[in-house]
Amino acid sequence: MGSAPVRAGEIVVYNVDGRDIPIVHRVIQVHQDRDSGEVAILTKGDNNEYDDRGLYAEDQMWLDREHIMGRSVGFLPYFGWATILMTERPFLKFILLGVLALLVIISD
Amino acid sequence: MFLKWLIMRSWSLKSPCIEILQILVEIPLIKIHSSVVSVAPSFSVQAFRLEGMHTFLYRLNAVLSFALLALAAICIAASMTDMIHKSNPSVDIKVLKFDGLREIYGNDEARVALNISADLSSIFSWNTKQLFVFVAAEYTTPKNSWNQISLWDSIITAKEDAVFQALEYNKYAFIDQGKNFRGLSFNLTMYWHVMPKTTMMYIGSKSFTGFKFPDNYF
């Protein structure tokens, strides 16, 4: 995650209370309190017309630093396909486990 | 020995997908290690015990692991050439006028017309997929030591589109946390996030100071 402060333009992964899937969106507003040092963060998906307040919990207008689980630093092409394929086609998971079991049996 | 290791690893399976991928990557590395240890005087990973079909699997193992490592090394070396890329962007941001300054629901809101012109074509390299460009207003208030509000953004996917001029009102609401805008001075900074085709993203920016809100609501 890193201790560098969250700044506008960064892509962050955050969890909203009540939702189980984290959201990966860009920060468009940051307000850092002078006394407590806490930040209020507003995010928005690049292709969305409106900000993410519709996705936050009821009455929640801002995200806190605690909601942010990580930030995006780079891009690895096609890396996610292994996980996506195995989630969409569960039989691939069984094939993989079968191959692993085979390796166990024929190795010493 | 291998069976024991596999059972120990499977015991900690939380999310099957990711753990299975990790195990899959570790198997070739463990197999090479164990075969090196079992052949005492020889230091070569090619001194495997010859035992029927095992030879083929061990060799396939070694070849695939080496191929993976070599591929990763080449990818990293290729993406390093992007680090010496020099860029020379030119940016200019002006506030044409304030179209309104009012209080709404306890916070100040401003509406401002901007003249944003830039030539970001030198930032594009072979490894650039697109640029995410945005202009943010930055200012400090008595309550907040740092405020950053994105007013306008654009995604540039081609080098030809990187020379542009935008004469627009702020795309996103320019609302403060509080009522501090009147008479406040602020910066306008253009940031460009370079999204690569592979590996690390990086950020550049150019800041313009000396902008000031009107003194009264209107």
Side-chain angles (χ1 to χ4, degrees), chain A residues 16-102:
Chain A
V16 177
D17 304 326
R19 284 180 191 266
D20 44 349
I21 305 173
I23 303 173
V24 187
H25 275 172
R26 196 182 294 270
V27 173
I28 60 166
Q29 279 194 30
V30 171
H31 296 277
Q32 181 160 13
D33 193 89
R34 192 183 292 275
D35 303 319
S36 62
E38 284 172 14
V39 282
I41 293 162
L42 180 63
T43 60
K44 175 182 150 323
D46 283 349
N47 209 26
N48 294 347
E49 198 177 333
Y50 300 111
D51 56 42
D52 285 350
R53 286 205 168 117
L55 295 169
Y56 296 168
E58 207 171 316
D59 290 336
Q60 181 184 7
M61 298 291 273
W62 305 97
L63 290 177
D64 302 322
R65 192 68 161 73
E66 294 76 46
H67 292 110
I68 310 278
M69 307 208 305
R71 77 182 95 203
S72 166
V73 296
F75 187 69
L76 290 171
Y78 303 111
F79 257 55
W81 269 106
T83 312
I84 290 175
L85 277 175
M86 288 208 283
T87 314
E88 286 181 356
R89 292 154 213 262
F91 72 85
L92 282 180
K93 254 188 268 187
F94 296 119
I95 289 179
L96 199 59
L97 281 170
V99 164
L100 285 175
L102 205 65

Side-chain angles (χ1 to χ4, degrees), chain A residues 30-32 34 75 96 104, chain B residues 6 20 141 146-148 199:
Chain A
V30 171
H31 296 277
Q32 181 160 13
R34 192 183 292 275
F75 187 69
L96 199 59
V104 168
Chain B
L6 189 68
I20 286 171
T141 61
W146 183 247
N147 298 282
Q148 231 179 349
T199 65

